[in-house]
Amino acid sequence: MEVINTSGRRKCSVARAYVSKGTGVITINKRDYKEYFKTPTLQYYVLQSLNNAKAVGEYDVKVNVNGGGTTGQAQAVRLAIAKALVEINPELKKELRAEGLVTRDPRMVERKKFGQKKARARFQFSKR
């Protein structure tokens, strides 16, 4: 099996994953995923696709991720790994889709509008 190359995005984060047969080593930006994502929640996001596919320890995963914050990056990595697993074995798509792992989350930050404090918040109005 050659290297499978996929990408995943979430908010402003972009993750490029390279998945190949191996011993289960997950490297993110040339560091171990537990070192890169310190909290258990973020580590869970990274492993979620592999856990649902029952493929933990079967594939080596190298990921380059940039942009956004840590949660967005972890979720982008999750999507990239899920897409790679579907490319390797199309039968997994139904299971992963049921968990919502192969769908890109379209929610983005709403832009700030001129004449307003934030996207929806207005400046304080004084009648007198």
Side-chain angles (χ1 to χ4, degrees):
M1 179 191 136
E2 73 286 350
V3 177
I4 302 294
N5 177 15
T6 57
S7 66
R9 292 175 25 217
R10 171 75 170 101
K11 293 187 178 179
C12 290
S13 303
V14 179
R16 292 185 307 278
Y18 303 92
V19 179
S20 59
K21 274 275 190 222
T23 58
V25 177
I26 301 174
T27 310
I28 298 174
N29 290 351
K30 298 179 181 172
R31 298 194 327 214
D32 183 57
Y33 81 99
K34 288 185 177 177
E35 186 186 324
Y36 191 81
F37 294 120
K38 302 230 185 299
T39 64
T41 308
L42 299 177
Q43 293 171 13
Y44 171 76
Y45 284 145
V46 172
L47 292 175
Q48 196 172 3
S49 301
L50 293 166
N51 285 333
N52 284 339
K54 296 168 187 64
V56 177
E58 290 182 30
Y59 299 104
D60 286 343
V61 182
K62 273 189 196 163
V63 183
N64 296 330
V65 64
N66 63 338
T70 54
T71 304
Q73 286 188 352
Q75 292 175 1
V77 169
R78 173 177 71 179
L79 177 60
I81 293 172
K83 285 165 77 173
L85 291 172
V86 168
E87 208 170 302
I88 292 166
N89 183 2
E91 294 166 11
L92 292 172
K93 189 167 187 174
K94 193 172 182 182
E95 294 171 33
L96 294 174
R97 183 165 302 285
E99 293 292 321
L101 298 177
V102 289
T103 307
R104 188 212 187 276
D105 192 341
R107 295 175 296 171
M108 298 283 283
V109 175
E110 190 174 337
R111 78 175 202 86
K112 182 198 171 296
K113 280 76 168 192
F114 57 89
Q116 295 182 16
K117 197 171 189 137
K118 297 197 299 186
R120 305 258 173 119
R122 313 300 199 263
F123 289 115
Q124 190 171 11
F125 176 73
S126 172
K127 198 172 232 183
R128 289 177 187 86

PDB file of all heavy atoms in Angstrom, residues 48-66:
ATOM      1  N   GLN A  48     -10.394   9.735  16.992  1.00  0.00           N
ATOM      2  CA  GLN A  48     -11.798   9.372  16.833  1.00  0.00           C
ATOM      3  C   GLN A  48     -12.075   8.584  15.550  1.00  0.00           C
ATOM      4  O   GLN A  48     -12.753   7.564  15.581  1.00  0.00           O
ATOM      5  CB  GLN A  48     -12.661  10.640  16.871  1.00  0.00           C
ATOM      6  CG  GLN A  48     -14.125  10.362  17.102  1.00  0.00           C
ATOM      7  CD  GLN A  48     -14.921  11.630  17.334  1.00  0.00           C
ATOM      8  OE1 GLN A  48     -14.392  12.731  17.274  1.00  0.00           O
ATOM      9  NE2 GLN A  48     -16.190  11.476  17.594  1.00  0.00           N
ATOM     10  N   SER A  49     -11.535   9.014  14.423  1.00  0.00           N
ATOM     11  CA  SER A  49     -11.758   8.322  13.151  1.00  0.00           C
ATOM     12  C   SER A  49     -11.167   6.919  13.190  1.00  0.00           C
ATOM     13  O   SER A  49     -11.797   5.960  12.736  1.00  0.00           O
ATOM     14  CB  SER A  49     -11.130   9.105  11.997  1.00  0.00           C
ATOM     15  OG  SER A  49     -11.683  10.385  11.921  1.00  0.00           O
ATOM     16  N   LEU A  50      -9.953   6.799  13.733  1.00  0.00           N
ATOM     17  CA  LEU A  50      -9.298   5.492  13.813  1.00  0.00           C
ATOM     18  C   LEU A  50     -10.045   4.553  14.763  1.00  0.00           C
ATOM     19  O   LEU A  50     -10.182   3.358  14.491  1.00  0.00           O
ATOM     20  CB  LEU A  50      -7.847   5.657  14.263  1.00  0.00           C
ATOM     21  CG  LEU A  50      -6.923   6.364  13.270  1.00  0.00           C
ATOM     22  CD1 LEU A  50      -5.633   6.778  13.939  1.00  0.00           C
ATOM     23  CD2 LEU A  50      -6.646   5.477  12.076  1.00  0.00           C
ATOM     24  N   ASN A  51     -10.549   5.094  15.879  1.00  0.00           N
ATOM     25  CA  ASN A  51     -11.301   4.276  16.832  1.00  0.00           C
ATOM     26  C   ASN A  51     -12.582   3.735  16.209  1.00  0.00           C
ATOM     27  O   ASN A  51     -12.909   2.564  16.372  1.00  0.00           O
ATOM     28  CB  ASN A  51     -11.642   5.080  18.093  1.00  0.00           C
ATOM     29  CG  ASN A  51     -10.444   5.263  18.995  1.00  0.00           C
ATOM     30  OD1 ASN A  51      -9.529   4.457  18.993  1.00  0.00           O
ATOM     31  ND2 ASN A  51     -10.440   6.338  19.760  1.00  0.00           N
ATOM     32  N   ASN A  52     -13.317   4.598  15.494  1.00  0.00           N
ATOM     33  CA  ASN A  52     -14.569   4.167  14.881  1.00  0.00           C
ATOM     34  C   ASN A  52     -14.341   3.152  13.768  1.00  0.00           C
ATOM     35  O   ASN A  52     -15.177   2.290  13.538  1.00  0.00           O
ATOM     36  CB  ASN A  52     -15.356   5.367  14.347  1.00  0.00           C
ATOM     37  CG  ASN A  52     -16.028   6.127  15.462  1.00  0.00           C
ATOM     38  OD1 ASN A  52     -16.250   5.594  16.530  1.00  0.00           O
ATOM     39  ND2 ASN A  52     -16.340   7.385  15.223  1.00  0.00           N
ATOM     40  N   ALA A  53     -13.209   3.254  13.082  1.00  0.00           N
ATOM     41  CA  ALA A  53     -12.882   2.308  12.009  1.00  0.00           C
ATOM     42  C   ALA A  53     -12.187   1.063  12.550  1.00  0.00           C
ATOM     43  O   ALA A  53     -11.869   0.152  11.788  1.00  0.00           O
ATOM     44  CB  ALA A  53     -12.005   2.991  10.975  1.00  0.00           C
ATOM     45  N   LYS A  54     -11.944   1.022  13.875  1.00  0.00           N
ATOM     46  CA  LYS A  54     -11.216  -0.085  14.522  1.00  0.00           C
ATOM     47  C   LYS A  54      -9.871  -0.321  13.836  1.00  0.00           C
ATOM     48  O   LYS A  54      -9.492  -1.442  13.519  1.00  0.00           O
ATOM     49  CB  LYS A  54     -12.069  -1.353  14.518  1.00  0.00           C
ATOM     50  CG  LYS A  54     -13.334  -1.208  15.352  1.00  0.00           C
ATOM     51  CD  LYS A  54     -14.306  -2.332  15.116  1.00  0.00           C
ATOM     52  CE  LYS A  54     -15.618  -2.103  15.813  1.00  0.00           C
ATOM     53  NZ  LYS A  54     -16.361  -0.960  15.337  1.00  0.00           N
ATOM     54  N   ALA A  55      -9.159   0.786  13.589  1.00  0.00           N
ATOM     55  CA  ALA A  55      -7.883   0.728  12.868  1.00  0.00           C
ATOM     56  C   ALA A  55      -6.739   1.324  13.682  1.00  0.00           C
ATOM     57  O   ALA A  55      -5.717   1.698  13.118  1.00  0.00           O
ATOM     58  CB  ALA A  55      -8.018   1.462  11.542  1.00  0.00           C
ATOM     59  N   VAL A  56      -6.897   1.416  15.002  1.00  0.00           N
ATOM     60  CA  VAL A  56      -5.831   1.957  15.837  1.00  0.00           C
ATOM     61  C   VAL A  56      -4.651   0.990  15.809  1.00  0.00           C
ATOM     62  O   VAL A  56      -4.812  -0.210  16.011  1.00  0.00           O
ATOM     63  CB  VAL A  56      -6.313   2.166  17.292  1.00  0.00           C
ATOM     64  CG1 VAL A  56      -5.182   2.649  18.173  1.00  0.00           C
ATOM     65  CG2 VAL A  56      -7.469   3.150  17.323  1.00  0.00           C
ATOM     66  N   GLY A  57      -3.469   1.499  15.510  1.00  0.00           N
ATOM     67  CA  GLY A  57      -2.277   0.665  15.466  1.00  0.00           C
ATOM     68  C   GLY A  57      -1.999   0.031  14.118  1.00  0.00           C
ATOM     69  O   GLY A  57      -1.017  -0.676  13.951  1.00  0.00           O
ATOM     70  N   GLU A  58      -2.870   0.260  13.127  1.00  0.00           N
ATOM     71  CA  GLU A  58      -2.672  -0.340  11.804  1.00  0.00           C
ATOM     72  C   GLU A  58      -1.981   0.599  10.826  1.00  0.00           C
ATOM     73  O   GLU A  58      -1.355   0.145   9.873  1.00  0.00           O
ATOM     74  CB  GLU A  58      -4.013  -0.772  11.204  1.00  0.00           C
ATOM     75  CG  GLU A  58      -4.644  -1.953  11.902  1.00  0.00           C
ATOM     76  CD  GLU A  58      -5.945  -2.380  11.244  1.00  0.00           C
ATOM     77  OE1 GLU A  58      -6.077  -2.202  10.015  1.00  0.00           O
ATOM     78  OE2 GLU A  58      -6.828  -2.876  11.963  1.00  0.00           O
ATOM     79  N   TYR A  59      -2.130   1.904  11.043  1.00  0.00           N
ATOM     80  CA  TYR A  59      -1.627   2.878  10.071  1.00  0.00           C
ATOM     81  C   TYR A  59      -0.714   3.899  10.742  1.00  0.00           C
ATOM     82  O   TYR A  59      -0.954   4.296  11.884  1.00  0.00           O
ATOM     83  CB  TYR A  59      -2.788   3.627   9.401  1.00  0.00           C
ATOM     84  CG  TYR A  59      -3.723   2.720   8.648  1.00  0.00           C
ATOM     85  CD1 TYR A  59      -4.964   2.385   9.164  1.00  0.00           C
ATOM     86  CD2 TYR A  59      -3.367   2.200   7.403  1.00  0.00           C
ATOM     87  CE1 TYR A  59      -5.827   1.554   8.483  1.00  0.00           C
ATOM     88  CE2 TYR A  59      -4.219   1.361   6.717  1.00  0.00           C
ATOM     89  CZ  TYR A  59      -5.452   1.039   7.259  1.00  0.00           C
ATOM     90  OH  TYR A  59      -6.294   0.209   6.568  1.00  0.00           O
ATOM     91  N   ASP A  60       0.310   4.308  10.015  1.00  0.00           N
ATOM     92  CA  ASP A  60       1.132   5.445  10.418  1.00  0.00           C
ATOM     93  C   ASP A  60       0.515   6.686   9.797  1.00  0.00           C
ATOM     94  O   ASP A  60       0.184   6.689   8.609  1.00  0.00           O
ATOM     95  CB  ASP A  60       2.574   5.290   9.927  1.00  0.00           C
ATOM     96  CG  ASP A  60       3.353   4.260  10.731  1.00  0.00           C
ATOM     97  OD1 ASP A  60       2.898   3.908  11.831  1.00  0.00           O
ATOM     98  OD2 ASP A  60       4.406   3.820  10.252  1.00  0.00           O
ATOM     99  N   VAL A  61       0.375   7.741  10.590  1.00  0.00           N
ATOM    100  CA  VAL A  61      -0.249   8.976  10.117  1.00  0.00           C
ATOM    101  C   VAL A  61       0.722  10.122  10.330  1.00  0.00           C
ATOM    102  O   VAL A  61       1.196  10.346  11.444  1.00  0.00           O
ATOM    103  CB  VAL A  61      -1.573   9.253  10.871  1.00  0.00           C
ATOM    104  CG1 VAL A  61      -2.225  10.512  10.343  1.00  0.00           C
ATOM    105  CG2 VAL A  61      -2.513   8.072  10.780  1.00  0.00           C
ATOM    106  N   LYS A  62       1.032  10.835   9.244  1.00  0.00           N
ATOM    107  CA  LYS A  62       1.818  12.069   9.334  1.00  0.00           C
ATOM    108  C   LYS A  62       0.897  13.196   8.912  1.00  0.00           C
ATOM    109  O   LYS A  62       0.248  13.112   7.876  1.00  0.00           O
ATOM    110  CB  LYS A  62       3.010  12.029   8.377  1.00  0.00           C
ATOM    111  CG  LYS A  62       4.228  11.391   8.920  1.00  0.00           C
ATOM    112  CD  LYS A  62       5.391  11.608   7.981  1.00  0.00           C
ATOM    113  CE  LYS A  62       6.501  10.637   8.321  1.00  0.00           C
ATOM    114  NZ  LYS A  62       7.462  10.514   7.249  1.00  0.00           N
ATOM    115  N   VAL A  63       0.849  14.258   9.719  1.00  0.00           N
ATOM    116  CA  VAL A  63      -0.059  15.362   9.428  1.00  0.00           C
ATOM    117  C   VAL A  63       0.700  16.681   9.481  1.00  0.00           C
ATOM    118  O   VAL A  63       1.487  16.908  10.398  1.00  0.00           O
ATOM    119  CB  VAL A  63      -1.234  15.405  10.441  1.00  0.00           C
ATOM    120  CG1 VAL A  63      -2.199  16.517  10.088  1.00  0.00           C
ATOM    121  CG2 VAL A  63      -1.950  14.082  10.499  1.00  0.00           C
ATOM    122  N   ASN A  64       0.456  17.541   8.494  1.00  0.00           N
ATOM    123  CA  ASN A  64       0.894  18.937   8.542  1.00  0.00           C
ATOM    124  C   ASN A  64      -0.368  19.755   8.743  1.00  0.00           C
ATOM    125  O   ASN A  64      -1.297  19.654   7.945  1.00  0.00           O
ATOM    126  CB  ASN A  64       1.574  19.359   7.235  1.00  0.00           C
ATOM    127  CG  ASN A  64       2.840  18.591   6.986  1.00  0.00           C
ATOM    128  OD1 ASN A  64       3.509  18.175   7.921  1.00  0.00           O
ATOM    129  ND2 ASN A  64       3.162  18.381   5.729  1.00  0.00           N
ATOM    130  N   VAL A  65      -0.415  20.550   9.799  1.00  0.00           N
ATOM    131  CA  VAL A  65      -1.603  21.345  10.074  1.00  0.00           C
ATOM    132  C   VAL A  65      -1.179  22.768  10.399  1.00  0.00           C
ATOM    133  O   VAL A  65      -0.163  22.995  11.053  1.00  0.00           O
ATOM    134  CB  VAL A  65      -2.453  20.720  11.217  1.00  0.00           C
ATOM    135  CG1 VAL A  65      -1.712  20.708  12.521  1.00  0.00           C
ATOM    136  CG2 VAL A  65      -3.780  21.409  11.373  1.00  0.00           C
ATOM    137  N   ASN A  66      -1.940  23.737   9.890  1.00  0.00           N
ATOM    138  CA  ASN A  66      -1.655  25.135  10.204  1.00  0.00           C
ATOM    139  C   ASN A  66      -2.936  25.946  10.141  1.00  0.00           C
ATOM    140  O   ASN A  66      -3.930  25.516   9.571  1.00  0.00           O
ATOM    141  CB  ASN A  66      -0.587  25.719   9.265  1.00  0.00           C
ATOM    142  CG  ASN A  66      -1.045  25.742   7.830  1.00  0.00           C
ATOM    143  OD1 ASN A  66      -1.945  25.001   7.444  1.00  0.00           O
ATOM    144  ND2 ASN A  66      -0.431  26.584   7.026  1.00  0.00           N
TER     145      ASN A  66
END
